[in-house]
């Protein structure tokens, strides 16, 4: 076997393994920095300290019958300062559910501690031994070797979670207070004429009075995905609760829609999206549209917004929301490497067989090769949000950043440690999009 063939085979194996790894369990910071933190199931050690204003504090009395989050931090700690706004946000979000937060400071300088508390708007209880981090009794009792660290104590006084990653605490508290996601499949099922046959879709809308109208958000799923699953369903539920309708649909060759996957291309998905736009625009209760998309669906949403805006001479949507938009698909086609499968981009043949028996059509590769993604998307200049994770190895976050650059008025949220599917905390990612759409459309 020639050396070039061997190298190609090794590259293929490596690329495929990386793609699979992106969607599987990933090591995170806890495997390095939380190894000695007190473990779930342990009884939370009691402690006595002074609050920031000099009052006596005993944890067991304060925490009795409550869920309490202990936030180990210090004003001099750069990572603590970086995470502080998110901890403050969580405390504000969950206090209505009776969740308490206690900041355990490793400061020795009271004035520096007070200054940081004021700077970040920290309104929850703050305590400290006013000793050096390694000399504190609390660090020994809770196994804190790294700050920031967070520990959740349940109403029974036992540890529920210990981590150095705020998003894990947020996910735990979200499920504790509102319940874990359960597929509901709510809404009205409709069929829409698409570019390659009928498109299966689900409409969710609020209760409306006779003659009343509301905005409608169109959701575009990603490559080989479907309309179903927590990412879109969570957002649609939030929108419905705030008086906004939504429609999510399967592109041609996907899910319950007609057509074959090998005939799917980005241009014909754009045509599918346009047909959905036309359909919902004709509904008498719809007043204003927005469009959202994940991964390849983000590219379709952005390009649809650009094409329709150019045709109308004004922004075609009241808002656009992109989640990990996969503008890398053009470079993937040029490299001849889609989802880890390598091929000759100049002669892909009728199709390229991908994982799970999926057949990627040669027309997909040929059209992606010259797809003017950003040039087309730039023709939309209305409100937009782009949410991307910096641990996304399917679509590097820089592709999301570029949408932010071509849409100067857009919001850009880079979620630290989050992957392509936002699996670290899907609730936070979907809340960001839902809150933006609600704020912009209502």
């Amino acid at each position: 076997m020639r050396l070039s063939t061997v190298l190609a085979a090794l590259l293929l194996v490596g690329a495929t393994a990386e793609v699979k790894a992106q969607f599987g369990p990933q090591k995170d910071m806890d495997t390095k920095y939380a190894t000695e933190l007190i473990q779930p199931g342990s009884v939370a050690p009691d402690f006595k300290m002074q609050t920031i204003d000099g009052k006596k504090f005993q944890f067991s009395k304060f925490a009795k019958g409550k869920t309490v989050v202990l936030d180990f931090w210090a004003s001099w700690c750069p990572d603590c300062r970086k995470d502080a706004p998110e901890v403050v946000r969580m405390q504000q979000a969950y206090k209505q559910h009776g969740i308490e937060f206690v900041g355990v400071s490793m400061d020795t300088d009271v004035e520096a501690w007070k200054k940081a508390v004021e700077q970040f708007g920290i309104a929850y209880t703050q305590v400290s031994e006013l000793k050096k981090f390694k000399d504190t009794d609390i660090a020994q009792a809770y196994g804190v070797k790294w700050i920031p660290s967070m520990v959740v104590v349940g109403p029974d006084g036992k540890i529920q979670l210990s981590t150095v990653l705020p998003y894990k605490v947020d996910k735990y508290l979200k499920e504790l207070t509102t319940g874990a996601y359960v597929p509901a499949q709510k809404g009205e099922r409709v069929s829409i004429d698409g570019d390659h046959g009928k498109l299966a879709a689900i409409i969710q809308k609020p209760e409306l009075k006779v003659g009343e109208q509301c905005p409608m958000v169109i959701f575009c799923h990603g490559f080989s995905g479907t309309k179903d699953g927590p990412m879109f369903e969570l957002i649609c539920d939030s929108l419905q609760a705030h008086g906004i309708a939504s429609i999510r649909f399967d592109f041609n060759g996907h899910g319950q829609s007609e057509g074959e996957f090998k005939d799917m291309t980005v241009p014909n998905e754009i045509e599918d999206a346009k047909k959905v736009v036309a359909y919902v625009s004709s509904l008498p209760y719809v007043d204003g549209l927005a469009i959202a998309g994940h991964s390849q669906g983000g590219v379709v949403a952005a390009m649809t917004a650009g094409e329709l805006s150019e045709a109308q001479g004004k922004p075609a949507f009241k808002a656009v929301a992109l989640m990990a938009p996969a503008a890398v698909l053009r470079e993937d086609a040029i490299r001849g490497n889609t989802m880890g499968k390598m091929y000759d981009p100049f002669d892909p043949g009728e199709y390229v067989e991908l994982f799970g028996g999926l057949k990627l059509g040669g027309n997909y590769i040929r059209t992606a090769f010259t797809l003017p993604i950003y040039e087309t998307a730039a023709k939309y200049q209305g409100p937009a949000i782009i949410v991307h994770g910096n641990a996304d190895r399917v679509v590097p976050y820089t592709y999301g950043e570029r949408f932010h650059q071509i849409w100067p008025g857009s919001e850009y949220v880079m979620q630290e440690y989050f992957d392509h599917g936002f699996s670290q905390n899907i609730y936070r990612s979907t809340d960001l999009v839902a809150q933006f759409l609600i704020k912009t459309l209502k």
Side-chain angles (χ1 to χ4, degrees):
M1 185 180 291
R2 292 187 305 172
L3 179 60
S4 60
T5 306
V6 173
L7 290 173
L10 289 173
L11 285 170
L12 174 58
V13 171
T16 304
E18 182 170 337
V19 170
K20 288 180 179 178
Q22 173 71 71
F23 296 102
Q26 297 289 306
K27 287 186 176 181
D28 58 37
M29 300 290 280
D30 279 347
T31 62
K32 184 175 182 181
Y33 297 111
T35 56
E36 297 184 49
L37 266 178
I38 191 168
Q39 292 299 298
S42 306
V43 175
D46 194 14
F47 58 88
K48 295 179 180 178
M49 290 187 197
Q50 283 196 334
T51 64
I52 197 167
D53 52 359
K55 296 179 182 178
K56 293 181 179 180
F57 175 90
Q58 183 171 357
F59 179 66
S60 58
K61 291 182 179 179
F62 177 86
K64 188 175 182 179
K66 304 174 185 176
T67 295
V68 180
V69 179
L70 296 175
D71 175 36
F72 297 91
W73 76 296
S75 66
W76 46 261
C77 163
D79 287 332
C80 301
R81 297 178 71 88
K82 175 174 64 66
D83 288 351
E86 178 64 5
V87 179
V88 169
R89 182 199 67 80
M90 285 193 286
Q91 188 269 335
Q92 290 293 315
Y94 296 112
K95 67 180 181 180
Q96 62 181 313
H97 299 285
I99 309 297
E100 297 281 1
F101 278 62
V102 175
V104 182
S105 171
M106 300 300 176
D107 279 283
T108 58
D109 184 335
V110 175
E111 292 308 312
W113 179 22
K114 287 182 177 180
K115 184 178 179 181
V117 166
E118 182 178 357
Q119 177 184 350
F120 294 113
I122 297 173
Y124 48 90
T125 302
Q126 288 284 310
V127 299
S128 179
E129 295 179 39
L130 294 176
K131 296 179 183 177
K132 291 183 178 179
F133 177 13
K134 303 300 181 183
D135 296 336
T136 60
D137 294 332
I138 192 74
Q140 295 298 318
Y142 280 82
V144 180
K145 304 297 181 184
W146 173 271
I147 54 173
S149 288
M150 303 185 80
V151 173
V152 181
V153 182
D156 61 356
K158 293 184 178 180
I159 306 301
Q160 304 299 310
L161 175 69
S162 54
T163 180
V164 301
L165 297 163
Y167 69 74
K168 290 189 178 182
V169 175
D170 189 29
K171 182 179 182 181
Y172 174 84
L173 295 178
K174 185 76 169 184
E175 293 186 343
L176 177 69
T177 55
T178 63
Y181 161 76
V182 177
Q185 294 289 299
K186 294 185 292 186
E188 174 191 2
R189 295 183 178 274
V190 297
S191 180
I192 302 169
D193 289 327
D195 189 70
H196 274 58
K198 296 287 187 179
L199 303 175
I202 297 178
I203 293 177
Q204 281 184 238
K205 65 176 182 177
E207 292 290 334
L208 299 172
K209 298 177 183 177
V210 176
E212 189 178 3
Q213 293 183 307
C214 68
M216 168 77 78
V217 183
I218 299 163
F219 286 88
C220 305
H221 66 74
F223 183 91
S224 76
T226 72
K227 64 184 179 301
D228 302 319
M231 185 176 294
F232 289 169
E233 288 187 22
L234 288 168
I235 300 174
C236 292
D237 287 348
S238 293
L239 296 178
Q240 185 177 18
H242 286 83
I244 299 171
S246 64
I247 183 169
R248 57 187 195 276
F249 67 98
D250 293 326
F251 282 112
N252 68 89
H254 291 76
Q256 298 170 323
S257 290
E258 294 179 349
E260 294 186 41
F261 184 82
K262 71 179 181 64
D263 295 328
M264 175 273 301
T265 65
V266 174
N268 66 40
E269 286 198 342
I270 293 172
E271 292 307 309
D272 281 346
K274 287 180 179 178
K275 289 180 182 294
V276 174
V277 169
Y279 177 86
V280 296
S281 295
S282 69
L283 297 175
Y285 61 84
V286 172
D287 177 26
L289 299 177
I291 192 167
H294 171 247
S295 194
Q296 181 167 294
V299 171
V300 173
M303 293 185 71
T304 300
E307 288 188 11
L308 291 180
S309 296
E310 182 180 37
Q312 297 176 20
K314 61 179 182 179
F317 296 98
K318 290 186 174 182
V320 174
L322 308 183
M323 303 179 75
V328 70
L329 66 86
R330 180 173 181 266
E331 281 80 359
D332 285 347
I334 292 171
R335 287 193 300 265
N337 185 342
T338 297
M339 302 299 285
K341 181 68 175 182
M342 299 177 70
Y343 50 83
D344 180 353
F346 296 102
D347 186 19
E350 181 185 355
Y351 64 83
V352 174
E353 190 159 341
L354 302 180
F355 54 89
L358 286 178
K359 295 177 180 178
L360 183 69
N363 282 339
Y364 177 96
I365 296 164
R366 283 184 280 271
T367 55
F369 208 93
T370 56
L371 202 62
I373 297 173
Y374 293 110
E375 297 87 342
T376 302
K379 295 169 185 174
Y380 170 82
Q381 288 294 322
I385 187 172
I386 304 101
V387 181
H388 217 134
N390 71 351
D392 188 340
R393 297 206 302 271
V394 174
V395 182
Y397 70 90
T398 50
Y399 288 89
E401 283 184 334
R402 190 170 173 191
F403 280 104
H404 181 46
Q405 292 166 2
I406 65 170
W407 294 335
S410 63
E411 296 181 26
Y412 177 72
V413 182
M414 193 275 286
Q415 293 192 282
E416 193 170 25
Y417 308 124
F418 280 47
D419 60 24
H420 190 60
F422 305 98
S423 65
Q424 284 70 22
N425 184 3
I426 190 66
Y427 306 107
R428 180 62 184 142
S429 303
T430 53
D431 277 351
L432 284 167
V433 174
Q435 289 163 8
F436 168 81
L437 290 170
I438 293 164
K439 174 186 69 176
T440 307
L441 297 176
K442 291 302 286 183

